Amino acid sequence: MAIVQSLPSTADGHRRLGLSNPATREEVGEIVVSTADEVDEVVRRARAAQPGWAARPVTERADIIRRAVEVLISRRDEIVATVQSETGKPRVEALAIEIVPACDFLNYWSGRARKDLADERRRLHGYMAPLKKLVINYQPLGVVGVITPWNGPFVLSLNPVAQALLAGNSVVLKPSEVTPHSAEWAVKILHEAGVPEDVVQVVHGDGETGAALVAGEVDKISFTGSVPTGKKIAAACAARLIPCTMELGGKDAMIVCADADLERASAGAVYLSMFNTGQVCIGVERIYVVDSIADEFIAKVREKAEAVTYGPGTGKDVGPLFWDRQLDIVTRHVDDAVAKGAKVLVGGKSDTADGVFFQPTLIVDVTHDMDLMQQETFGPVVAIMRVADEDEAIRMANDCEYGLSGSVFTKDPDTVVRIAKQLRTGSVVHNDASVIYGAPEAPFGGRKDSGLGHVNGRDALRGFTHAQPVLLDRWQLKKENIWYPYTDKTVRTLERMIDVAFGSAIARKLMS
């Protein structure tokens, strides 16, 4: 039932990894693992190609990235076929999760690039304003390494790669060995749109290849994946004093308030816990429902969960787990919860007759001493816990090492804002979840063990640059008053400036 398995090495000694479809177990190709020396050579070519790419006007780079949308649309059936062969996910999810947001990201970032990356004049405050002018230019970092996961292999590769390219960097992409060809499509469509071959490249392999990229002569790492791997990469980047962005795991909580629309909340509880087979870092992993409405809410969730279909073939709602290793984690979490007193109302078992499937599952009476409520499960499981009120729901939601996103179901937007301000999460969504990543205007990143930095938002493109301030001289005098030689006049001038500039409330207001 392996998704990735070792194959005999090539004639020249390269490791080979074979891939199989998790829905059917059919073989779907292989990859040859790039060696550390080969990774270094790819980075060297990227380094040589980067200055020429950065020298192109931002508008030219943006036109090329925008052209990639047309390529993507024309090749979408091939991309979807590759994604489905490596993940087994339903076509509707391949389109909705991979293709639609990818088109939107390319459109959005190419449209933002000229403004966000242009030289910026900033007004100085106070005593320096009459003397100096400030200009900030956004310089490319150089070579960016992008390491991406297997749960959204195409879109989670394309989004950071496109941002880094627009900012004038060259990019080396290392996709997950579970879904390598799906991610490689990001590079293929960018090449077809006009990005030079050496400006964006791909290397294949497992953790060994990723470690070689992190250790290579790159200027930034953008990583999306597990917490343990992310911490190792962050430590390696810290040792080299290079920036990194870490988009890591989640254990997102859904809070159902007493005034929630229970029809929408119950439908959301099932879908948002199970779409993409529950393998979404910002999917719902635990639900806290106020006790006064819990019975009705659970009954509605049960009805909807029982109607969810799964298995191989077309027309099913839930596909397989994309990686066989994930099946062991989901099974262990559910079994642990049952052993500690939880009740399974729907599903609860693995189904490996045809592929790597886990039944759509509803489990109640869960508590925080269960792995299901503390560790990332990444499976099609709805886990519901009753709470006395909203305050207890907030306490429980915060009682977790993760802090990626969360959701609040209520009819009152003011309640959402009030609760959101008390949640230690990177983001909060009202009457929905997961869609926050699809809003590129929103800074997306986690707190606690869920990550470091942001991958979207107003400063996303600038995150792939060095903001270099240039302080310009207004008057070009022969010398500044503070310069040598020091005299009594120098002292008197400074004393008077302190009194005038900082000595009154009016002066302090002018200085702000």
Side-chain angles (χ1 to χ4, degrees):
M1 188 168 62
I3 304 304
V4 181
Q5 59 182 340
S6 295
L7 299 177
S9 298
T10 63
D12 60 0
H14 282 76
R15 289 194 297 124
R16 295 163 61 223
L17 298 176
L19 311 172
S20 59
N21 186 320
T24 64
R25 302 184 188 174
E26 295 174 350
E27 294 181 1
V28 293
E30 64 176 64
I31 57 172
V32 176
V33 176
S34 300
T35 67
D37 287 343
E38 288 168 338
V39 172
D40 287 344
E41 173 59 20
V42 166
V43 173
R44 186 197 65 77
R45 294 202 305 269
R47 176 78 60 195
Q50 187 269 333
W53 175 249
R56 299 191 187 197
V58 175
T59 51
E60 182 179 337
R61 298 198 299 266
D63 286 343
I64 292 172
I65 300 302
R66 174 62 183 83
R67 197 153 58 237
V69 178
E70 299 168 14
V71 178
L72 196 168
I73 292 171
S74 68
R75 306 295 289 273
R76 70 177 180 270
D77 285 343
E78 298 167 85
I79 298 170
V80 167
T82 303
V83 169
Q84 288 190 284
S85 72
E86 291 186 333
T87 68
K89 69 173 67 178
R91 181 177 177 85
V92 65
E93 291 186 348
L95 290 169
I97 295 171
E98 307 281 0
I99 304 300
V100 173
C103 290
D104 188 56
F105 285 140
L106 291 172
N107 266 337
Y108 181 80
W109 297 123
S110 59
R112 292 290 311 180
R114 182 175 180 178
K115 179 180 179 181
D116 290 351
L117 299 172
D119 289 354
E120 179 188 2
R121 293 185 177 273
R122 289 191 187 176
R123 179 179 174 272
L124 293 169
H125 79 288
Y127 71 92
M128 198 174 286
L131 307 173
K132 308 291 182 183
K133 295 182 290 185
L134 178 62
V135 176
I136 299 173
N137 68 79
Y138 295 93
Q139 300 177 338
L141 294 173
V143 181
V144 175
V146 177
I147 303 175
T148 55
W150 45 263
N151 59 320
F154 177 68
V155 68
L156 294 180
S157 297
L158 188 64
N159 189 27
V161 168
Q163 291 180 32
L165 290 172
L166 282 165
N169 303 283
S170 57
V171 178
V172 179
L173 169 67
K174 205 300 282 186
S176 168
E177 69 273 26
V178 179
T179 51
H181 301 115
S182 299
E184 191 173 22
W185 269 110
V187 174
K188 289 180 179 179
I189 68 166
L190 289 165
H191 283 162
E192 192 170 332
V195 179
E197 294 284 329
D198 286 351
V199 170
V200 58
Q201 302 171 77
V202 63
V203 292
H204 285 303
D206 48 19
E208 204 172 283
T209 310
L213 180 58
V214 173
E217 292 299 316
V218 296
D219 300 292
K220 178 176 179 174
I221 290 290
S222 171
F223 174 75
T224 305
S226 71
V227 173
T229 301
K231 287 183 175 181
K232 291 177 183 177
I233 293 174
C237 291
R240 293 189 52 221
L241 293 180
I242 63 170
C244 63
T245 301
M246 299 284 119
E247 200 274 273
L248 307 179
K251 191 69 184 174
D252 291 3
M254 169 179 168
I255 295 175
V256 185
C257 300
D259 70 336
D261 179 336
L262 294 189
E263 188 62 31
R264 179 178 178 89
S266 58
V270 174
Y271 178 77
L272 297 166
S273 298
M274 296 185 183
F275 84 103
N276 213 46
T277 321
Q279 298 162 125
V280 183
C281 60
I282 46 174
V284 169
E285 289 246 342
R286 50 202 172 109
I287 299 172
Y288 302 98
V289 57
V290 172
D291 189 63
S292 62
I293 57 166
D295 288 341
E296 184 179 359
F297 174 73
I298 291 171
K300 288 179 177 293
V301 172
R302 182 173 188 168
E303 178 184 3
K304 292 173 173 59
E306 288 174 337
V308 174
T309 60
Y310 77 100
T314 59
K316 299 296 195 300
D317 298 320
V318 173
L321 294 162
F322 304 164
W323 202 7
D324 55 338
R325 294 185 188 179
Q326 199 59 39
L327 184 65
D328 295 335
I329 296 172
V330 178
T331 301
R332 186 172 71 248
H333 285 189
V334 170
D335 289 348
D336 172 75
V338 171
K340 292 175 179 175
K343 296 178 182 177
V344 174
L345 300 185
V346 179
K349 300 292 183 182
S350 62
D351 184 345
T352 58
D354 298 303
V356 189
F357 291 94
F358 196 91
Q359 297 172 342
T361 296
L362 167 60
I363 189 165
V364 298
D365 296 345
V366 291
T367 58
H368 271 222
D369 65 339
M370 301 172 183
D371 293 343
L372 188 64
M373 298 298 280
Q374 290 292 322
Q375 301 176 17
E376 191 172 37
T377 303
F378 238 49
V381 180
V382 183
I384 301 177
M385 179 177 177
R386 295 169 183 261
V387 292
D389 51 30
E390 293 170 4
D391 289 340
E392 185 181 7
I394 294 167
R395 289 196 302 274
M396 293 295 99
N398 284 333
D399 180 29
C400 184
E401 64 187 16
Y402 296 97
L404 189 55
S405 190
S407 57
V408 180
F409 280 70
T410 173
K411 295 174 183 175
D412 184 5
D414 291 338
T415 297
V416 179
V417 175
R418 176 177 57 79
I419 291 176
K421 290 180 178 180
Q422 300 176 72
L423 294 176
R424 295 195 296 275
T425 62
S427 56
V428 175
V429 181
H430 179 204
N431 289 345
D432 204 342
S434 305
V435 293
I436 189 69
Y437 183 82
E441 297 88 348
F444 181 79
R447 300 183 66 182
K448 297 186 279 189
D449 274 3
S450 286
L452 178 69
H454 294 111
V455 298
N456 285 336
R458 186 176 62 184
D459 296 324
L461 295 177
R462 292 177 179 177
F464 288 99
T465 68
H466 169 70
Q468 183 192 61
V470 179
L471 201 60
L472 299 173
D473 182 19
R474 282 188 181 273
W475 307 113
Q476 301 187 50
L477 303 174
K478 295 297 183 182
K479 74 180 201 67
E480 298 295 318
N481 289 334
I482 191 64
W483 290 1
Y484 296 139
Y486 293 154
T487 66
D488 290 343
K489 183 180 179 182
T490 309
V491 174
R492 289 195 300 271
T493 299
L494 288 171
E495 297 279 11
R496 184 169 60 183
M497 185 194 74
I498 292 169
D499 290 336
V500 172
F502 303 107
S504 69
I506 295 176
R508 288 192 295 273
K509 185 175 181 180
L510 291 173
M511 292 293 290
S512 64

